[in-house]
Amino acid sequence: MLTNGRGGCQSLLHEGRNNDYIIKKYRDELDTVRKVRNSIAHNNEYYFLPSSSLYTLLEEILEKVIDSPKISDFIDNDLMVIKEDTSIIKTIRDMKKYDYDQIPVVDHKGKYIELLTTNTIIRWMGDLKLDQDSNLIIEDAQIKEVVKYAEEDEVCEFISKDSKLDTLIDKHESIIKAGNKIDAFLITENGNKEEVLQGIITDWEIPEIYNKLSI
């Protein structure tokens, strides 16, 4: 592997410069290997004997790059979504039953509209009127009335189901380093918001992805 500098470490460093979290993570190690390879190839006065641990490290990096799981391998096939005309009472009961604190709202074609969160529901309830006995008058409210109270600073990113998990990690870290927040990654066929929603990965699930990638 050391003798294949242009097609090996150098190629990995170049291709991963902007969009591969794993390559970025091991950039210093790969750059050192590239320099060693160049010394072997171009300077006959010095000789290097790579250790077995170096080969082991390179094999580990290469395996992570090639076999990095895709987002489609991580998402739940039983995605729970709600329509705009769904009853808020039924939705609250479902959220309690399945221990959800947010659910995607989609239109009749399955395209994403909004993310219904417990905070949104609380803000909506704060504007409800009371009856003579000080009970909230909810009637048969629908989701479309509740999502009007969604947070204005909600941030969701669309991403393709065929993207690698390390690509998602890279996007997440870029957002955080910029001082912003991300509520969820919304998964569609090609990462287009006009496509049917196929899955969702919330900020709370990001640590699980780190564990899955062993990074």
Side-chain angles (χ1 to χ4, degrees), residues 36 88 132 134 150 154 205-206:
V36 170
I88 183 58
Q132 294 180 348
S134 297
E154 174 196 291
E205 296 173 291
I206 296 297

Side-chain angles (χ1 to χ4, degrees), residues 50-188:
S51 66
S52 59
S53 61
L54 178 59
Y55 281 108
T56 300
L57 174 62
L58 290 176
E59 289 173 356
E60 177 186 338
I61 296 172
L62 187 59
E63 181 179 352
K64 286 183 177 181
V65 171
I66 295 175
D67 297 330
S68 178
K70 293 182 178 180
I71 289 177
S72 56
D73 300 325
F74 187 81
I75 61 176
D76 187 353
N77 292 327
D78 298 322
L79 173 66
M80 182 176 180
V81 298
I82 49 177
K83 303 289 181 63
E84 288 183 291
D85 57 357
T86 304
S87 164
I88 183 58
I89 297 301
K90 178 184 182 304
T91 300
I92 291 174
R93 287 172 178 166
D94 286 341
M95 292 176 76
K96 179 178 183 297
K97 178 179 179 180
Y98 298 106
D99 196 26
Y100 289 155
D101 59 6
Q102 52 190 14
I103 301 180
V105 181
V106 300
D107 64 14
H108 65 285
K109 292 183 179 180
K111 295 191 296 184
Y112 174 80
I113 296 176
E114 188 65 80
L115 193 63
L116 178 70
T117 67
T118 50
N119 287 338
T120 299
I121 295 173
I122 290 172
R123 279 193 294 275
W124 166 74
M125 293 183 67
D127 273 354
L128 290 176
K129 296 180 180 180
L130 303 176
D131 62 17
Q132 294 180 348
D133 297 320
S134 297
N135 296 316
L136 293 176
I137 303 175
I138 295 180
E139 297 178 345
D140 192 22
Q142 297 180 337
I143 294 301
K144 60 185 176 184
E145 300 171 36
V146 182
V147 293
K148 294 177 183 177
Y149 291 82
E151 296 175 274
E152 294 183 0
D153 61 347
E154 174 196 291
V155 178
C156 293
E157 286 276 336
F158 285 85
I159 191 167
S160 167
K161 69 178 182 63
D162 290 325
S163 295
K164 292 183 177 181
L165 285 182
D166 53 281
T167 300
L168 184 146
I169 289 293
D170 193 59
K171 285 179 175 290
H172 180 264
E173 293 205 344
S174 296
I175 292 170
I176 299 302
K177 286 179 181 178
N180 300 317
K181 71 164 190 169
I182 176 73
D183 292 284
F185 286 94
L186 305 171
I187 303 155
T188 62

